[in-house]
Amino acid sequence: MDFLLIQRRLFVIFPLQLFLVVCSLYCAFLVRFDFSIPDVYLTVFYRILPAVIVIKLFVFGYFKLYSGWWRYVSMSDLVVIFKANFIGSAGVIVYNFFVYRLELVSRTILFLDGLFCFLLVAGIRFSIRAFRENFYPMPVNKAGKTRMLIVGAGDAGQMIARELRLNRKLSYDAIGFIDDDRRKQNTRFRGLPVLGTCDDILSVCRKKRIEEVIIAIPSATGKQIRTIVEYCQKANVRFKKLPGVGGLLDGSVSVEQIKDVSLEDLLGREAVRLDGEKISSYLCGKRVLVTGAGGSIGSELCRQIAYFCPNKLILFENGETPLFSIEQELKKAYPKLLVYPIIGDIRYRSRVEAIFDEFMPEVVFHAAAYKHVPMMEVNPAEAVNNNVRGTQVVAEMAHIFRVERFVMVSTDKAVNPTSVMGATKRAAEKLVQALSCQSQTRFVTVRFGNVLGSNGSVIPTFKEQIRHGGPLTVTHKEITRFFMTIPEATQLVLQAGSMGNGGEIYLLDMGEPVKILHLAEELIRLSGKVPYDDIDIVFSGLRPGEKLYEELLLDGEGIKPTTHEKICVAQSVTENDALLNAQLEHLFEAARKMDLRLTVDLLEKVVPEYQPAQHNSVRNL
């Protein structure tokens, strides 16, 4: 069927191209002789015409001008048409020089022939596109279609407007554009007027009876999106957006890419600038091991690492189901990548040693950890075993097997911790720093705050509560947290892994802290409801080990900038290795014996800045 269609198209296009070639040469003669060609030059026209036809149609075929859909012709097609005509005209000139020594046809005629041929070949294509876009399909009944306002009259917005015009099946009727560029005011793009700036959204929505607003600014910041959303909420209209620049890497824009505005968009941060060459230099062609590969951070690390073409990617995970999910996803996205899903526990030294011995990893990302603060308050022995002793096992294997780089994922809760979880992560940081002083392996730690949408975090919890009609539970009215998206955090972890000589603690720029109460209110609004009216918010009180404010630095650490604007490095604090090792052995012994009170007491000695909450249930046993 496709072959027959191609044949029919060629049957139409080839004669039309032939006609245009003849017309361009004839027009060149007409213009040269003031629209009255002498008989002697008419003879010249007929003598040179066969050669012009053969040369140009052959060149057009080489440049594939007989294929393609003229209704979709673009500037890149125009460049191809120009090249084809230039080479075709050059061929005619060469033919005329060698056959007639330029005596038969003047250079003016040859120049005009090339010009007219280009204008005719390109013009008919763009004329067909213009007709298709402006007169076909014919206007249809707009009743029942959603009246849409497009915010952003740039390339993305215009592509959306064009698709809405051409696709009759879409249930949208684009009314106009909104754009803050003053130069675009009172102009038209794709046949649609620019109706004002973002400040005019409320009045335009009411005047034009707008039902939905599309934010077509892929590079919009979180602040810009929040402003637009506020206007839309006041106008009581729905709002959606195109994905950010990171989601439009192929350069295409489609109505299918329009999505609901998410909390991540409102809290949006600038796109991360990555030094791909630096990251690739330590990942490309290497054997890379990721612990906790099925978790929120670990799985995203695997996705990002796979992009840089490692030789092997070893997924080390204790949970069967999440490990299966990330393995299948990676195999589908990167079919040529060698992916090894390994079930195991970082606390079992013999198992970890066997994995290192079998795969000989060159780079290790250690993301395995227990992270839920209240849960670890009542399970301190397990927290110590997994977060501290597990880290020791993996780090020591990295040292023994001469791994090139070891990157540990840490948390802001390790700074002046008030929770068992935070204290165990700080102990793991100290352990890794101490080991780096005696190892050829580059041990670095990356410390950051909360990530939006991670398993068990506040955002999924709020969404579940909204789904059940509320109320949303916030622990304290003034509680704040640092937030970044999972992809941003993992990209910066990869970047930090390319830095340093070992022992450093890298801090990621988390931006400004965000009130959890504000997050709750925004999520309710994004769900189309009104806070405190449709869905209530209640305050449940701080949970065990929870702080009002998180910090990123310990006293005495200080920070220094790095070559990356979103990564800084904490000045290392020297530890007494012998004392630390002795303290850790006592801590591990207490954890093995499940002596919970002693475990917390010894954890406080390992991490002097650890201040357990007064209501810690274990301390009150």
Side-chain angles (χ1 to χ4, degrees):
M1 191 69 182
D2 291 340
F3 178 74
L4 293 176
L5 179 61
I6 293 172
Q7 276 192 320
R8 286 199 297 268
R9 285 176 49 76
L10 186 61
F11 182 76
V12 174
I13 292 174
F14 186 84
L16 182 57
Q17 298 275 49
L18 172 62
F19 175 74
L20 295 179
V21 168
V22 175
C23 278
S24 61
L25 183 63
Y26 188 73
C27 289
F29 273 85
L30 277 177
V31 172
R32 170 63 180 82
F33 295 106
D34 297 326
F35 296 93
S36 179
I37 307 174
D39 291 340
V40 63
Y41 284 103
L42 197 57
T43 303
V44 171
F45 167 77
Y46 287 119
R47 285 181 62 185
I48 197 173
L49 181 60
V52 172
I53 291 174
V54 171
I55 292 171
K56 289 199 173 184
L57 291 185
F58 175 79
V59 172
F60 288 177
Y62 177 80
F63 280 93
K64 297 181 173 57
L65 294 192
Y66 304 132
S67 59
W69 292 83
W70 291 5
R71 71 185 72 172
Y72 303 125
V73 66
S74 63
M75 292 303 296
S76 59
D77 296 312
L78 189 66
V79 172
V80 174
I81 293 170
F82 176 80
K83 289 179 181 178
N85 276 279
F86 180 83
I87 294 174
S89 296
V92 172
I93 292 173
V94 170
Y95 170 81
N96 189 49
F97 175 80
F98 283 104
V99 176
Y100 299 109
R101 299 292 178 180
L102 290 178
E103 295 176 359
L104 188 64
V105 183
S106 70
R107 284 169 290 183
T108 303
I109 291 176
L110 295 176
F111 170 78
L112 291 173
D113 170 57
L115 176 63
F116 288 145
C117 192
F118 169 72
L119 293 176
L120 288 173
V121 172
I124 192 168
R125 284 165 167 78
F126 279 92
S127 297
I128 288 174
R129 171 177 167 174
F131 174 79
R132 295 279 305 188
E133 290 189 7
N134 292 280
F135 303 102
Y136 181 88
M138 298 299 290
V140 296
N141 183 10
K142 297 183 179 181
K145 289 199 171 189
T146 301
R147 295 174 63 83
M148 176 195 291
L149 182 66
I150 303 173
V151 178
D155 292 339
Q158 292 184 41
M159 289 295 290
I160 291 296
R162 178 173 179 267
E163 186 170 351
L164 291 175
R165 176 185 289 273
L166 294 179
N167 194 337
R168 303 176 66 179
K169 296 180 180 179
L170 296 173
S171 59
Y172 291 103
D173 178 22
I175 304 302
F177 292 102
I178 288 290
D179 201 290
D180 281 338
D181 189 342
R182 296 291 176 182
R183 295 170 298 178
K184 294 179 180 178
Q185 302 305 309
N186 300 315
T187 58
R188 300 179 75 88
F189 297 96
R190 303 286 177 181
L192 299 176
V194 178
L195 299 170
T197 66
C198 287
D199 292 336
D200 302 314
I201 289 178
L202 182 59
S203 59
V204 170
C205 286
R206 290 173 177 172
K207 182 178 179 181
K208 298 292 184 179
R209 294 177 289 110
I210 301 298
E211 298 171 86
E212 190 165 303
V213 170
I214 301 299
I215 305 172
I217 312 174
S219 60
T221 64
K223 183 178 180 181
Q224 290 174 311
I225 294 176
R226 282 196 300 272
T227 301
I228 296 169
V229 166
E230 286 174 5
Y231 285 128
C232 293
Q233 289 171 340
K234 289 179 181 177
N236 197 27
V237 297
R238 298 188 299 273
F239 46 89
K240 294 185 178 180
K241 71 177 289 290
L242 284 176
V245 290
L248 297 174
L249 294 179
D250 61 354
S252 64
V253 177
S254 168
V255 173
E256 294 177 357
Q257 293 169 316
I258 293 173
K259 65 183 186 68
D260 291 329
V261 175
S262 66
L263 190 62
E264 288 86 343
D265 298 321
L266 298 182
L267 299 175
R269 295 151 58 84
E270 294 180 7
V272 177
R273 176 189 63 82
L274 289 180
D275 186 343
E277 187 175 339
K278 237 181 173 183
I279 297 174
S280 181
S281 68
Y282 83 98
L283 291 180
C284 182
K286 298 296 180 68
R287 299 179 296 276
V288 183
L289 169 69
V290 180
T291 70
S296 303
I297 296 296
S299 60
E300 184 63 25
L301 272 173
C302 293
R303 296 182 191 100
Q304 303 279 351
I305 292 167
Y307 174 79
F308 289 96
C309 303
N311 175 258
K312 294 178 182 177
L313 183 54
I314 303 102
L315 317 180
F316 192 17
E317 170 60 51
N318 197 25
E320 176 190 19
T321 301
L323 179 60
F324 176 79
S325 297
I326 186 62
E327 178 210 10
Q328 294 302 307
E329 180 184 335
L330 291 175
K331 283 187 174 181
K332 183 177 180 181
Y334 301 93
K336 295 183 179 180
L337 176 63
L338 296 175
V339 179
Y340 297 89
I342 305 298
I343 290 279
D345 194 316
I346 59 173
R347 294 171 292 188
Y348 298 152
R349 183 176 294 271
S350 59
R351 177 65 170 143
V352 176
E353 184 176 6
I355 293 167
F356 272 77
D357 185 53
E358 179 181 357
F359 294 102
M360 298 296 291
E362 297 166 278
V363 182
V364 173
F365 288 91
H366 178 47
Y370 288 148
K371 66 177 184 177
H372 294 290
V373 172
M375 190 178 295
M376 293 305 102
E377 288 300 293
V378 294
N379 294 280
E382 290 302 313
V384 166
N385 272 324
N386 193 71
N387 294 0
V388 187
R389 195 168 64 80
T391 297
Q392 183 189 57
V393 170
V394 179
E396 287 182 352
M397 288 302 111
H399 164 65
I400 292 170
F401 285 88
R402 298 180 181 274
V403 168
E404 294 176 9
R405 295 174 190 266
F406 180 99
V407 182
M408 187 184 94
V409 175
S410 189
T411 170
D412 58 356
K413 293 174 178 60
V415 181
N416 298 320
T418 60
S419 65
V420 167
M421 193 282 277
T424 57
K425 292 299 285 184
R426 176 57 189 153
E429 288 183 356
K430 296 174 74 171
L431 187 156
V432 168
Q433 279 188 304
L435 188 57
S436 71
C437 297
Q438 51 184 297
S439 177
Q440 294 181 351
T441 299
R442 293 184 181 182
F443 286 92
V444 299
T445 299
V446 184
R447 187 189 288 166
F448 55 88
N450 298 272
V451 288
L452 288 167
S454 63
N455 296 332
S457 65
V458 66
I459 305 303
T461 301
F462 282 164
K463 288 181 176 179
E464 186 66 21
Q465 290 174 340
I466 291 173
R467 201 161 22 245
H468 289 89
L472 269 62
T473 55
V474 177
T475 56
H476 194 283
K477 191 173 184 178
E478 298 300 325
I479 192 170
T480 63
R481 290 291 181 267
F482 293 101
F483 283 100
M484 62 170 42
T485 64
I486 293 176
E488 180 183 14
T490 52
Q491 287 168 7
L492 290 174
V493 168
L494 293 184
Q495 190 72 71
S498 69
M499 301 176 176
N501 298 311
E504 298 91 349
I505 295 180
Y506 289 101
L507 313 176
L508 305 190
D509 174 16
M510 300 295 298
E512 295 298 319
V514 178
K515 275 192 174 185
I516 302 299
L517 177 60
H518 172 70
L519 290 187
E521 292 171 343
E522 288 297 337
L523 270 176
I524 293 172
R525 292 190 185 100
L526 288 176
S527 65
K529 302 187 183 299
V530 180
Y532 308 107
D533 288 341
D534 299 326
I535 294 182
D536 199 10
I537 299 175
V538 298
F539 301 100
S540 58
L542 291 176
R543 299 175 298 177
E546 195 170 44
K547 294 194 291 186
L548 266 181
Y549 311 103
E550 298 290 4
E551 307 160 271
L552 289 171
L553 273 177
L554 284 165
D555 291 338
E557 279 187 328
I559 60 169
K560 294 184 290 186
T562 67
T563 54
H564 196 285
E565 70 274 8
K566 288 195 173 185
I567 302 175
C568 55
V569 61
Q571 296 175 354
S572 58
V573 179
T574 306
E575 297 289 343
N576 185 320
D577 290 358
L579 177 60
L580 177 63
N581 289 332
Q583 290 174 333
L584 288 175
E585 282 306 314
H586 290 308
L587 177 64
F588 297 156
E589 182 64 25
R592 275 193 292 269
K593 292 180 178 178
M594 293 302 291
D595 189 335
L596 304 187
R597 288 190 64 176
L598 182 58
T599 299
V600 175
D601 289 340
L602 292 175
L603 189 58
E604 194 172 356
K605 289 184 178 181
V606 176
V607 185
E609 62 270 22
Y610 171 38
Q611 298 177 344
Q614 294 300 314
H615 55 280
N616 182 281
S617 57
V618 173
R619 292 294 293 271
N620 293 327
L621 287 174

